Amino acid sequence: MTRTLHFCTLLLLLPAIVMAQTSTTAKSPNGRIALELTLDNGTPSYSVSYDGQQAIGKSALGIVTNMGDYSNNLSLKGTETRDINKQYSLTNIKQSHVNYAATELVAHYEQDGRQVLDIIFRISNRDVAFRYKVLPKRDTRVCVVKEEQSFFSLPEQSTSFLCPQSKPMGGFARTSPSYETPYTLDEPVGKNGWGEGYTFPCLFKVGPQNIWVLISETGTDGDYVGCRLLNKQGGSYCIGFPQSGELNGAGSTTPSMALPGETPWRTITIGTLADIVETTVPFDLVKLKYEASQDYSSIYGKGSWSWIIGMDPSCNFDEQKRYIDFSAAMGYQSVLIDAFWDKQIGYEGIAQLARYGKEKGVGLFLWYNSNGSWNDAPQTPIGKMNNSRIRREEMRWMLQNGIRGIKVDFFGGDKQPMMQLYEDILSDANDYGLLVIFHGCTLPRGWERMYPNYAASEAVLASENLHFGQGACDAEARNACIHPFIRNTVGAMDFGGSTLNKYYGADNQHGTVRRTSDVFALATAVLFQSPVQHFALAPNNLTDAPAWAIDFMKQVPTTWDEVRFIDGYPGQYIILARRHGDKWFVVGANAEKEPLKKTITLPMFEKGTALKVYSDNAQLEGSVKSIKQTKKQQVSIVIPCNGGLVITNE
């Protein structure tokens, strides 16, 4: 009798159990990436597999607003799927022409009989991305997003390659977080950085499957906050909002939204290291926000700057005139004049330099402090970029004097007012035909496509650290073998490197000592992608650096049509190729103690192609030789520790 009652009870409960869990699947166009979207007792979650192997385990989804909690108690109203096929062209990213194909899955959720939320997925052959669309609630047309329940569950045997988020209002002049912390490599999952999570992008190697996963975000603008990745436990990570102390404590850590409103995209690149290095997902998912006031591609190119070698004292009229002459001798398009120019040169002096540069075919970029009230950075010009009226007056003066662009430094975090400031600077600068570089700043999030006058961001432990400390010089090769896999794969990186000085000092006899070779310097000019490159070269390099190195640095492009990953491992070594027109640049760097010996296949060079090879011997002495491509299209290489490699078709 009791058994019969239990059986009947189970039969009655069975429909409820079935209804409590729903599942929807979608695949990438090539079928290798599969997404499963589940609603389990009102809570949405997802998982992702690659070639049938788990890449992201079951991970919670949802968003909590001041209108309601849309991470549970949901019911699925329905789903829609469609194929996306589109093409676009950008001259300022790693690939000039992109064919984007993806499967879009939109899930509509209700709560208490009212549609409240859509979760939108895109699954391409390399990437999974998702975002939320929050719908109005009767007459409520605005909301505050209190938190995201966006999780990423990685197998616990996975290892991580991460950049810890720093605490706010620390470091130099209380300018952190400035996204310039060193990476930890191949560490087990389960840590939370320095207690504040990690700066995007975040790279993982998934357990024995040997699948690589890069987690980041794109499409962030003044309508949201910049986010980070927080570890919850083991391999479980989630989206985190800014820290309360950012922006000197001003402003909320939570974004406000007009409704209907969409969050930025959370992106997951999945597959091999080639998939990671070659992904275009930060740009695939975003749209142009305003029309360009001019053709900015004509301003892209190479430039010089005195500060990295000569520091603040070099920011004087005579030295900047000398650097204009140097840029002209190199065939470069610009000179970046760094901090304190308003005090040490003056506005009239800058106008004179701009006129002199125009005669030489060299334009000027000017440095500015972003402040504001968010840190103690004393460098001037200050109090210009944070105020719309003053900023536009300053930009009008720049337009009148033919200034080509600006480099704005020392931002204050990722709260919504700071993200609005980035967007406002870009928008105003476009009105006056100015390119914009950001420094001491957050990660770019699809900005190359969103803002036509955006050039690059630092958001990395960049070249100034090579001047400031010998430890950075000692670790230069290691760091160079990280960035193409992580930071630079999601956006243009303003590094300011490729020095040919032996010392970081104006006389090239004192200061920190460069440990890397001249060929390494040439290789990083290609490894580090940015459409505007202000290299750390100096006028003395015209006579004290090898002629072949100077000749290469005169000719190396800053815009690319294609990138191909060849071989490498984060922090150990990297070999990749970039194409500009019909010319390929195959470059490599080695951070391992032992020489890197490889036979690499280069199918971009046909049999018999004349190749020019720049390489180092064991003493890091560089040389150039010419060879012919073999029938097997292979080249045997040796790269010593701290050395480099460059192969081009002649």
Side-chain angles (χ1 to χ4, degrees), residues 290 296 391 395 406 419-438 447 450-456:
Y290 52 75
Y296 289 104
R391 179 171 64 238
M395 290 177 174
I406 56 176
M419 305 311 290
Q420 290 168 343
L421 179 62
Y422 285 112
E423 187 164 40
D424 290 346
I425 290 173
L426 285 160
S427 178
D428 284 350
N430 182 60
D431 289 345
Y432 297 97
L434 297 167
L435 265 179
V436 180
I437 299 169
F438 292 126
W447 293 354
M450 295 163 66
Y451 307 106
N453 59 322
Y454 168 79

PDB file of all heavy atoms in Angstrom, residues 290 296 391 395 406 419-438 447 450-456:
ATOM      1  N   TYR A 290      29.492  57.122 -33.827  1.00  0.00           N
ATOM      2  CA  TYR A 290      29.324  58.392 -34.531  1.00  0.00           C
ATOM      3  C   TYR A 290      30.224  58.381 -35.758  1.00  0.00           C
ATOM      4  O   TYR A 290      31.174  57.608 -35.843  1.00  0.00           O
ATOM      5  CB  TYR A 290      29.638  59.592 -33.629  1.00  0.00           C
ATOM      6  CG  TYR A 290      30.975  59.527 -32.916  1.00  0.00           C
ATOM      7  CD1 TYR A 290      32.183  59.764 -33.593  1.00  0.00           C
ATOM      8  CD2 TYR A 290      31.043  59.247 -31.551  1.00  0.00           C
ATOM      9  CE1 TYR A 290      33.405  59.714 -32.940  1.00  0.00           C
ATOM     10  CE2 TYR A 290      32.261  59.196 -30.897  1.00  0.00           C
ATOM     11  CZ  TYR A 290      33.434  59.434 -31.590  1.00  0.00           C
ATOM     12  OH  TYR A 290      34.657  59.378 -30.951  1.00  0.00           O
ATOM     13  N   TYR A 296      40.775  59.228 -40.398  1.00  0.00           N
ATOM     14  CA  TYR A 296      41.826  59.110 -39.390  1.00  0.00           C
ATOM     15  C   TYR A 296      42.923  58.136 -39.798  1.00  0.00           C
ATOM     16  O   TYR A 296      44.023  58.179 -39.251  1.00  0.00           O
ATOM     17  CB  TYR A 296      41.221  58.695 -38.049  1.00  0.00           C
ATOM     18  CG  TYR A 296      40.416  59.798 -37.407  1.00  0.00           C
ATOM     19  CD1 TYR A 296      39.028  59.759 -37.422  1.00  0.00           C
ATOM     20  CD2 TYR A 296      41.042  60.884 -36.805  1.00  0.00           C
ATOM     21  CE1 TYR A 296      38.274  60.777 -36.842  1.00  0.00           C
ATOM     22  CE2 TYR A 296      40.301  61.904 -36.222  1.00  0.00           C
ATOM     23  CZ  TYR A 296      38.921  61.849 -36.245  1.00  0.00           C
ATOM     24  OH  TYR A 296      38.194  62.863 -35.690  1.00  0.00           O
ATOM     25  N   ARG A 391      37.684  71.699 -22.114  1.00  0.00           N
ATOM     26  CA  ARG A 391      38.216  70.691 -23.043  1.00  0.00           C
ATOM     27  C   ARG A 391      37.987  71.120 -24.490  1.00  0.00           C
ATOM     28  O   ARG A 391      38.891  71.046 -25.333  1.00  0.00           O
ATOM     29  CB  ARG A 391      37.533  69.354 -22.768  1.00  0.00           C
ATOM     30  CG  ARG A 391      37.978  68.229 -23.678  1.00  0.00           C
ATOM     31  CD  ARG A 391      37.415  66.900 -23.206  1.00  0.00           C
ATOM     32  NE  ARG A 391      35.971  66.807 -23.245  1.00  0.00           N
ATOM     33  CZ  ARG A 391      35.192  66.537 -22.199  1.00  0.00           C
ATOM     34  NH1 ARG A 391      35.714  66.319 -21.014  1.00  0.00           N
ATOM     35  NH2 ARG A 391      33.877  66.471 -22.331  1.00  0.00           N
ATOM     36  N   MET A 395      40.666  71.974 -27.385  1.00  0.00           N
ATOM     37  CA  MET A 395      40.669  71.253 -28.655  1.00  0.00           C
ATOM     38  C   MET A 395      40.526  72.202 -29.836  1.00  0.00           C
ATOM     39  O   MET A 395      41.088  71.961 -30.909  1.00  0.00           O
ATOM     40  CB  MET A 395      39.570  70.194 -28.656  1.00  0.00           C
ATOM     41  CG  MET A 395      39.858  69.032 -27.715  1.00  0.00           C
ATOM     42  SD  MET A 395      38.503  67.835 -27.660  1.00  0.00           S
ATOM     43  CE  MET A 395      39.238  66.551 -26.620  1.00  0.00           C
ATOM     44  N   ILE A 406      45.898  63.553 -29.205  1.00  0.00           N
ATOM     45  CA  ILE A 406      46.169  63.732 -27.782  1.00  0.00           C
ATOM     46  C   ILE A 406      46.392  62.382 -27.119  1.00  0.00           C
ATOM     47  O   ILE A 406      45.884  61.353 -27.577  1.00  0.00           O
ATOM     48  CB  ILE A 406      45.022  64.478 -27.059  1.00  0.00           C
ATOM     49  CG1 ILE A 406      43.676  63.757 -27.273  1.00  0.00           C
ATOM     50  CG2 ILE A 406      44.952  65.931 -27.503  1.00  0.00           C
ATOM     51  CD1 ILE A 406      42.517  64.376 -26.509  1.00  0.00           C
ATOM     52  N   MET A 419      33.630  56.073 -17.274  1.00  0.00           N
ATOM     53  CA  MET A 419      33.392  55.551 -18.612  1.00  0.00           C
ATOM     54  C   MET A 419      32.751  56.626 -19.491  1.00  0.00           C
ATOM     55  O   MET A 419      33.019  56.709 -20.697  1.00  0.00           O
ATOM     56  CB  MET A 419      32.519  54.300 -18.560  1.00  0.00           C
ATOM     57  CG  MET A 419      33.043  53.182 -17.647  1.00  0.00           C
ATOM     58  SD  MET A 419      34.787  52.762 -17.885  1.00  0.00           S
ATOM     59  CE  MET A 419      34.736  51.991 -19.490  1.00  0.00           C
ATOM     60  N   GLN A 420      31.904  57.466 -18.885  1.00  0.00           N
ATOM     61  CA  GLN A 420      31.318  58.575 -19.636  1.00  0.00           C
ATOM     62  C   GLN A 420      32.387  59.580 -20.049  1.00  0.00           C
ATOM     63  O   GLN A 420      32.319  60.166 -21.141  1.00  0.00           O
ATOM     64  CB  GLN A 420      30.239  59.260 -18.796  1.00  0.00           C
ATOM     65  CG  GLN A 420      29.000  58.402 -18.602  1.00  0.00           C
ATOM     66  CD  GLN A 420      28.050  58.949 -17.546  1.00  0.00           C
ATOM     67  OE1 GLN A 420      28.419  59.794 -16.722  1.00  0.00           O
ATOM     68  NE2 GLN A 420      26.816  58.457 -17.557  1.00  0.00           N
ATOM     69  N   LEU A 421      33.402  59.773 -19.189  1.00  0.00           N
ATOM     70  CA  LEU A 421      34.472  60.707 -19.526  1.00  0.00           C
ATOM     71  C   LEU A 421      35.269  60.219 -20.733  1.00  0.00           C
ATOM     72  O   LEU A 421      35.594  61.008 -21.630  1.00  0.00           O
ATOM     73  CB  LEU A 421      35.402  60.920 -18.325  1.00  0.00           C
ATOM     74  CG  LEU A 421      36.583  61.865 -18.582  1.00  0.00           C
ATOM     75  CD1 LEU A 421      36.089  63.269 -18.927  1.00  0.00           C
ATOM     76  CD2 LEU A 421      37.523  61.901 -17.383  1.00  0.00           C
ATOM     77  N   TYR A 422      35.602  58.930 -20.763  1.00  0.00           N
ATOM     78  CA  TYR A 422      36.282  58.387 -21.944  1.00  0.00           C
ATOM     79  C   TYR A 422      35.487  58.716 -23.211  1.00  0.00           C
ATOM     80  O   TYR A 422      36.030  59.186 -24.221  1.00  0.00           O
ATOM     81  CB  TYR A 422      36.424  56.867 -21.840  1.00  0.00           C
ATOM     82  CG  TYR A 422      37.473  56.365 -20.878  1.00  0.00           C
ATOM     83  CD1 TYR A 422      37.120  55.686 -19.720  1.00  0.00           C
ATOM     84  CD2 TYR A 422      38.829  56.526 -21.142  1.00  0.00           C
ATOM     85  CE1 TYR A 422      38.074  55.184 -18.848  1.00  0.00           C
ATOM     86  CE2 TYR A 422      39.792  56.026 -20.283  1.00  0.00           C
ATOM     87  CZ  TYR A 422      39.409  55.364 -19.132  1.00  0.00           C
ATOM     88  OH  TYR A 422      40.361  54.864 -18.276  1.00  0.00           O
ATOM     89  N   GLU A 423      34.177  58.433 -23.164  1.00  0.00           N
ATOM     90  CA  GLU A 423      33.339  58.636 -24.339  1.00  0.00           C
ATOM     91  C   GLU A 423      33.239  60.111 -24.707  1.00  0.00           C
ATOM     92  O   GLU A 423      33.280  60.482 -25.889  1.00  0.00           O
ATOM     93  CB  GLU A 423      31.954  58.048 -24.087  1.00  0.00           C
ATOM     94  CG  GLU A 423      31.068  58.049 -25.303  1.00  0.00           C
ATOM     95  CD  GLU A 423      29.861  57.136 -25.148  1.00  0.00           C
ATOM     96  OE1 GLU A 423      29.279  57.095 -24.042  1.00  0.00           O
ATOM     97  OE2 GLU A 423      29.509  56.465 -26.128  1.00  0.00           O
ATOM     98  N   ASP A 424      33.140  60.983 -23.695  1.00  0.00           N
ATOM     99  CA  ASP A 424      33.026  62.414 -23.964  1.00  0.00           C
ATOM    100  C   ASP A 424      34.308  62.979 -24.573  1.00  0.00           C
ATOM    101  O   ASP A 424      34.259  63.825 -25.478  1.00  0.00           O
ATOM    102  CB  ASP A 424      32.694  63.157 -22.673  1.00  0.00           C
ATOM    103  CG  ASP A 424      31.279  62.883 -22.183  1.00  0.00           C
ATOM    104  OD1 ASP A 424      30.469  62.347 -22.969  1.00  0.00           O
ATOM    105  OD2 ASP A 424      30.992  63.189 -21.012  1.00  0.00           O
ATOM    106  N   ILE A 425      35.467  62.537 -24.075  1.00  0.00           N
ATOM    107  CA  ILE A 425      36.737  62.987 -24.651  1.00  0.00           C
ATOM    108  C   ILE A 425      36.822  62.568 -26.115  1.00  0.00           C
ATOM    109  O   ILE A 425      37.194  63.365 -26.991  1.00  0.00           O
ATOM    110  CB  ILE A 425      37.924  62.427 -23.846  1.00  0.00           C
ATOM    111  CG1 ILE A 425      38.006  63.092 -22.468  1.00  0.00           C
ATOM    112  CG2 ILE A 425      39.236  62.626 -24.604  1.00  0.00           C
ATOM    113  CD1 ILE A 425      39.042  62.475 -21.549  1.00  0.00           C
ATOM    114  N   LEU A 426      36.469  61.326 -26.397  1.00  0.00           N
ATOM    115  CA  LEU A 426      36.518  60.834 -27.768  1.00  0.00           C
ATOM    116  C   LEU A 426      35.557  61.605 -28.673  1.00  0.00           C
ATOM    117  O   LEU A 426      35.922  62.011 -29.787  1.00  0.00           O
ATOM    118  CB  LEU A 426      36.183  59.343 -27.802  1.00  0.00           C
ATOM    119  CG  LEU A 426      37.286  58.406 -27.310  1.00  0.00           C
ATOM    120  CD1 LEU A 426      36.704  57.051 -26.911  1.00  0.00           C
ATOM    121  CD2 LEU A 426      38.365  58.227 -28.372  1.00  0.00           C
ATOM    122  N   SER A 427      34.349  61.807 -28.210  1.00  0.00           N
ATOM    123  CA  SER A 427      33.348  62.495 -29.020  1.00  0.00           C
ATOM    124  C   SER A 427      33.756  63.933 -29.303  1.00  0.00           C
ATOM    125  O   SER A 427      33.680  64.409 -30.442  1.00  0.00           O
ATOM    126  CB  SER A 427      31.993  62.449 -28.309  1.00  0.00           C
ATOM    127  OG  SER A 427      31.012  63.150 -29.046  1.00  0.00           O
ATOM    128  N   ASP A 428      34.209  64.643 -28.280  1.00  0.00           N
ATOM    129  CA  ASP A 428      34.658  66.022 -28.476  1.00  0.00           C
ATOM    130  C   ASP A 428      35.877  66.077 -29.388  1.00  0.00           C
ATOM    131  O   ASP A 428      35.985  66.948 -30.255  1.00  0.00           O
ATOM    132  CB  ASP A 428      34.986  66.670 -27.130  1.00  0.00           C
ATOM    133  CG  ASP A 428      33.745  67.070 -26.348  1.00  0.00           C
ATOM    134  OD1 ASP A 428      32.637  67.016 -26.922  1.00  0.00           O
ATOM    135  OD2 ASP A 428      33.878  67.434 -25.161  1.00  0.00           O
ATOM    136  N   ALA A 429      36.812  65.174 -29.189  1.00  0.00           N
ATOM    137  CA  ALA A 429      38.017  65.160 -30.015  1.00  0.00           C
ATOM    138  C   ALA A 429      37.668  64.933 -31.480  1.00  0.00           C
ATOM    139  O   ALA A 429      38.303  65.506 -32.379  1.00  0.00           O
ATOM    140  CB  ALA A 429      38.980  64.088 -29.520  1.00  0.00           C
ATOM    141  N   ASN A 430      36.664  64.112 -31.741  1.00  0.00           N
ATOM    142  CA  ASN A 430      36.251  63.894 -33.130  1.00  0.00           C
ATOM    143  C   ASN A 430      35.746  65.186 -33.761  1.00  0.00           C
ATOM    144  O   ASN A 430      35.974  65.440 -34.951  1.00  0.00           O
ATOM    145  CB  ASN A 430      35.173  62.815 -33.185  1.00  0.00           C
ATOM    146  CG  ASN A 430      34.731  62.512 -34.598  1.00  0.00           C
ATOM    147  OD1 ASN A 430      35.526  62.098 -35.432  1.00  0.00           O
ATOM    148  ND2 ASN A 430      33.448  62.741 -34.875  1.00  0.00           N
ATOM    149  N   ASP A 431      35.053  66.015 -32.979  1.00  0.00           N
ATOM    150  CA  ASP A 431      34.561  67.287 -33.507  1.00  0.00           C
ATOM    151  C   ASP A 431      35.703  68.171 -34.000  1.00  0.00           C
ATOM    152  O   ASP A 431      35.502  69.024 -34.869  1.00  0.00           O
ATOM    153  CB  ASP A 431      33.768  68.036 -32.435  1.00  0.00           C
ATOM    154  CG  ASP A 431      32.426  67.386 -32.134  1.00  0.00           C
ATOM    155  OD1 ASP A 431      31.976  66.540 -32.941  1.00  0.00           O
ATOM    156  OD2 ASP A 431      31.824  67.720 -31.105  1.00  0.00           O
ATOM    157  N   TYR A 432      36.894  67.971 -33.426  1.00  0.00           N
ATOM    158  CA  TYR A 432      38.045  68.800 -33.792  1.00  0.00           C
ATOM    159  C   TYR A 432      39.121  68.008 -34.534  1.00  0.00           C
ATOM    160  O   TYR A 432      40.254  68.463 -34.659  1.00  0.00           O
ATOM    161  CB  TYR A 432      38.612  69.458 -32.537  1.00  0.00           C
ATOM    162  CG  TYR A 432      37.621  70.402 -31.896  1.00  0.00           C
ATOM    163  CD1 TYR A 432      36.830  69.987 -30.823  1.00  0.00           C
ATOM    164  CD2 TYR A 432      37.439  71.688 -32.389  1.00  0.00           C
ATOM    165  CE1 TYR A 432      35.897  70.841 -30.251  1.00  0.00           C
ATOM    166  CE2 TYR A 432      36.514  72.546 -31.821  1.00  0.00           C
ATOM    167  CZ  TYR A 432      35.742  72.124 -30.764  1.00  0.00           C
ATOM    168  OH  TYR A 432      34.807  72.976 -30.210  1.00  0.00           O
ATOM    169  N   GLY A 433      38.750  66.827 -35.022  1.00  0.00           N
ATOM    170  CA  GLY A 433      39.649  66.064 -35.880  1.00  0.00           C
ATOM    171  C   GLY A 433      40.872  65.517 -35.191  1.00  0.00           C
ATOM    172  O   GLY A 433      41.938  65.406 -35.809  1.00  0.00           O
ATOM    173  N   LEU A 434      40.752  65.118 -33.920  1.00  0.00           N
ATOM    174  CA  LEU A 434      41.890  64.649 -33.136  1.00  0.00           C
ATOM    175  C   LEU A 434      41.817  63.151 -32.883  1.00  0.00           C
ATOM    176  O   LEU A 434      40.768  62.631 -32.478  1.00  0.00           O
ATOM    177  CB  LEU A 434      41.940  65.373 -31.781  1.00  0.00           C
ATOM    178  CG  LEU A 434      42.140  66.886 -31.818  1.00  0.00           C
ATOM    179  CD1 LEU A 434      41.856  67.486 -30.445  1.00  0.00           C
ATOM    180  CD2 LEU A 434      43.561  67.230 -32.261  1.00  0.00           C
ATOM    181  N   LEU A 435      42.923  62.459 -33.107  1.00  0.00           N
ATOM    182  CA  LEU A 435      43.056  61.075 -32.661  1.00  0.00           C
ATOM    183  C   LEU A 435      43.303  61.052 -31.159  1.00  0.00           C
ATOM    184  O   LEU A 435      43.924  61.975 -30.608  1.00  0.00           O
ATOM    185  CB  LEU A 435      44.222  60.389 -33.366  1.00  0.00           C
ATOM    186  CG  LEU A 435      43.940  59.573 -34.627  1.00  0.00           C
ATOM    187  CD1 LEU A 435      45.239  58.997 -35.163  1.00  0.00           C
ATOM    188  CD2 LEU A 435      42.953  58.452 -34.363  1.00  0.00           C
ATOM    189  N   VAL A 436      42.876  59.971 -30.481  1.00  0.00           N
ATOM    190  CA  VAL A 436      42.989  59.883 -29.028  1.00  0.00           C
ATOM    191  C   VAL A 436      43.694  58.593 -28.622  1.00  0.00           C
ATOM    192  O   VAL A 436      43.318  57.500 -29.062  1.00  0.00           O
ATOM    193  CB  VAL A 436      41.612  59.947 -28.345  1.00  0.00           C
ATOM    194  CG1 VAL A 436      41.756  59.849 -26.832  1.00  0.00           C
ATOM    195  CG2 VAL A 436      40.885  61.238 -28.726  1.00  0.00           C
ATOM    196  N   ILE A 437      44.708  58.742 -27.781  1.00  0.00           N
ATOM    197  CA  ILE A 437      45.376  57.630 -27.099  1.00  0.00           C
ATOM    198  C   ILE A 437      45.110  57.799 -25.610  1.00  0.00           C
ATOM    199  O   ILE A 437      45.193  58.911 -25.082  1.00  0.00           O
ATOM    200  CB  ILE A 437      46.899  57.649 -27.357  1.00  0.00           C
ATOM    201  CG1 ILE A 437      47.190  57.513 -28.849  1.00  0.00           C
ATOM    202  CG2 ILE A 437      47.600  56.549 -26.571  1.00  0.00           C
ATOM    203  CD1 ILE A 437      48.642  57.782 -29.210  1.00  0.00           C
ATOM    204  N   PHE A 438      44.784  56.711 -24.920  1.00  0.00           N
ATOM    205  CA  PHE A 438      44.590  56.755 -23.470  1.00  0.00           C
ATOM    206  C   PHE A 438      45.755  56.065 -22.776  1.00  0.00           C
ATOM    207  O   PHE A 438      46.277  55.054 -23.261  1.00  0.00           O
ATOM    208  CB  PHE A 438      43.276  56.083 -23.076  1.00  0.00           C
ATOM    209  CG  PHE A 438      42.044  56.827 -23.531  1.00  0.00           C
ATOM    210  CD1 PHE A 438      41.070  56.192 -24.285  1.00  0.00           C
ATOM    211  CD2 PHE A 438      41.859  58.156 -23.197  1.00  0.00           C
ATOM    212  CE1 PHE A 438      39.929  56.861 -24.705  1.00  0.00           C
ATOM    213  CE2 PHE A 438      40.724  58.846 -23.607  1.00  0.00           C
ATOM    214  CZ  PHE A 438      39.760  58.195 -24.369  1.00  0.00           C
ATOM    215  N   TRP A 447      36.528  49.552 -28.704  1.00  0.00           N
ATOM    216  CA  TRP A 447      36.489  50.983 -29.009  1.00  0.00           C
ATOM    217  C   TRP A 447      37.020  51.318 -30.397  1.00  0.00           C
ATOM    218  O   TRP A 447      36.648  52.339 -30.972  1.00  0.00           O
ATOM    219  CB  TRP A 447      37.247  51.754 -27.927  1.00  0.00           C
ATOM    220  CG  TRP A 447      36.568  51.702 -26.595  1.00  0.00           C
ATOM    221  CD1 TRP A 447      35.345  51.163 -26.318  1.00  0.00           C
ATOM    222  CD2 TRP A 447      37.055  52.205 -25.356  1.00  0.00           C
ATOM    223  NE1 TRP A 447      35.048  51.299 -24.970  1.00  0.00           N
ATOM    224  CE2 TRP A 447      36.081  51.927 -24.364  1.00  0.00           C
ATOM    225  CE3 TRP A 447      38.229  52.857 -24.974  1.00  0.00           C
ATOM    226  CZ2 TRP A 447      36.243  52.297 -23.036  1.00  0.00           C
ATOM    227  CZ3 TRP A 447      38.397  53.231 -23.649  1.00  0.00           C
ATOM    228  CH2 TRP A 447      37.413  52.952 -22.685  1.00  0.00           C
ATOM    229  N   MET A 450      33.893  51.271 -32.302  1.00  0.00           N
ATOM    230  CA  MET A 450      32.854  52.150 -31.778  1.00  0.00           C
ATOM    231  C   MET A 450      33.170  53.627 -31.996  1.00  0.00           C
ATOM    232  O   MET A 450      32.279  54.426 -32.283  1.00  0.00           O
ATOM    233  CB  MET A 450      32.657  51.866 -30.284  1.00  0.00           C
ATOM    234  CG  MET A 450      32.112  50.480 -29.990  1.00  0.00           C
ATOM    235  SD  MET A 450      32.330  49.982 -28.249  1.00  0.00           S
ATOM    236  CE  MET A 450      31.270  51.146 -27.401  1.00  0.00           C
ATOM    237  N   TYR A 451      34.433  53.986 -31.849  1.00  0.00           N
ATOM    238  CA  TYR A 451      34.844  55.387 -31.903  1.00  0.00           C
ATOM    239  C   TYR A 451      35.909  55.554 -32.996  1.00  0.00           C
ATOM    240  O   TYR A 451      37.053  55.123 -32.823  1.00  0.00           O
ATOM    241  CB  TYR A 451      35.413  55.821 -30.556  1.00  0.00           C
ATOM    242  CG  TYR A 451      34.496  55.542 -29.385  1.00  0.00           C
ATOM    243  CD1 TYR A 451      34.769  54.501 -28.483  1.00  0.00           C
ATOM    244  CD2 TYR A 451      33.357  56.302 -29.171  1.00  0.00           C
ATOM    245  CE1 TYR A 451      33.934  54.250 -27.405  1.00  0.00           C
ATOM    246  CE2 TYR A 451      32.509  56.056 -28.097  1.00  0.00           C
ATOM    247  CZ  TYR A 451      32.805  55.021 -27.221  1.00  0.00           C
ATOM    248  OH  TYR A 451      31.973  54.770 -26.152  1.00  0.00           O
ATOM    249  N   PRO A 452      35.585  56.189 -34.109  1.00  0.00           N
ATOM    250  CA  PRO A 452      36.514  56.203 -35.248  1.00  0.00           C
ATOM    251  C   PRO A 452      37.819  56.932 -34.985  1.00  0.00           C
ATOM    252  O   PRO A 452      38.802  56.686 -35.696  1.00  0.00           O
ATOM    253  CB  PRO A 452      35.703  56.898 -36.346  1.00  0.00           C
ATOM    254  CG  PRO A 452      34.655  57.691 -35.623  1.00  0.00           C
ATOM    255  CD  PRO A 452      34.319  56.882 -34.417  1.00  0.00           C
ATOM    256  N   ASN A 453      37.863  57.821 -33.998  1.00  0.00           N
ATOM    257  CA  ASN A 453      39.103  58.548 -33.699  1.00  0.00           C
ATOM    258  C   ASN A 453      39.842  57.974 -32.494  1.00  0.00           C
ATOM    259  O   ASN A 453      40.795  58.587 -32.005  1.00  0.00           O
ATOM    260  CB  ASN A 453      38.828  60.033 -33.469  1.00  0.00           C
ATOM    261  CG  ASN A 453      37.850  60.289 -32.325  1.00  0.00           C
ATOM    262  OD1 ASN A 453      36.881  59.555 -32.136  1.00  0.00           O
ATOM    263  ND2 ASN A 453      38.101  61.341 -31.566  1.00  0.00           N
ATOM    264  N   TYR A 454      39.421  56.804 -32.034  1.00  0.00           N
ATOM    265  CA  TYR A 454      40.171  56.114 -30.980  1.00  0.00           C
ATOM    266  C   TYR A 454      41.367  55.407 -31.610  1.00  0.00           C
ATOM    267  O   TYR A 454      41.230  54.713 -32.619  1.00  0.00           O
ATOM    268  CB  TYR A 454      39.283  55.093 -30.266  1.00  0.00           C
ATOM    269  CG  TYR A 454      40.060  54.156 -29.369  1.00  0.00           C
ATOM    270  CD1 TYR A 454      40.482  54.566 -28.110  1.00  0.00           C
ATOM    271  CD2 TYR A 454      40.400  52.882 -29.804  1.00  0.00           C
ATOM    272  CE1 TYR A 454      41.221  53.711 -27.298  1.00  0.00           C
ATOM    273  CE2 TYR A 454      41.133  52.030 -29.001  1.00  0.00           C
ATOM    274  CZ  TYR A 454      41.536  52.450 -27.746  1.00  0.00           C
ATOM    275  OH  TYR A 454      42.277  51.611 -26.954  1.00  0.00           O
ATOM    276  N   ALA A 455      42.544  55.569 -31.000  1.00  0.00           N
ATOM    277  CA  ALA A 455      43.757  54.939 -31.535  1.00  0.00           C
ATOM    278  C   ALA A 455      44.198  53.751 -30.696  1.00  0.00           C
ATOM    279  O   ALA A 455      44.338  52.646 -31.215  1.00  0.00           O
ATOM    280  CB  ALA A 455      44.884  55.961 -31.633  1.00  0.00           C
ATOM    281  N   ALA A 456      44.444  53.957 -29.387  1.00  0.00           N
ATOM    282  CA  ALA A 456      45.012  52.877 -28.571  1.00  0.00           C
ATOM    283  C   ALA A 456      44.905  53.244 -27.104  1.00  0.00           C
ATOM    284  O   ALA A 456      44.663  54.399 -26.738  1.00  0.00           O
ATOM    285  CB  ALA A 456      46.480  52.634 -28.950  1.00  0.00           C
TER     286      ALA A 456
END
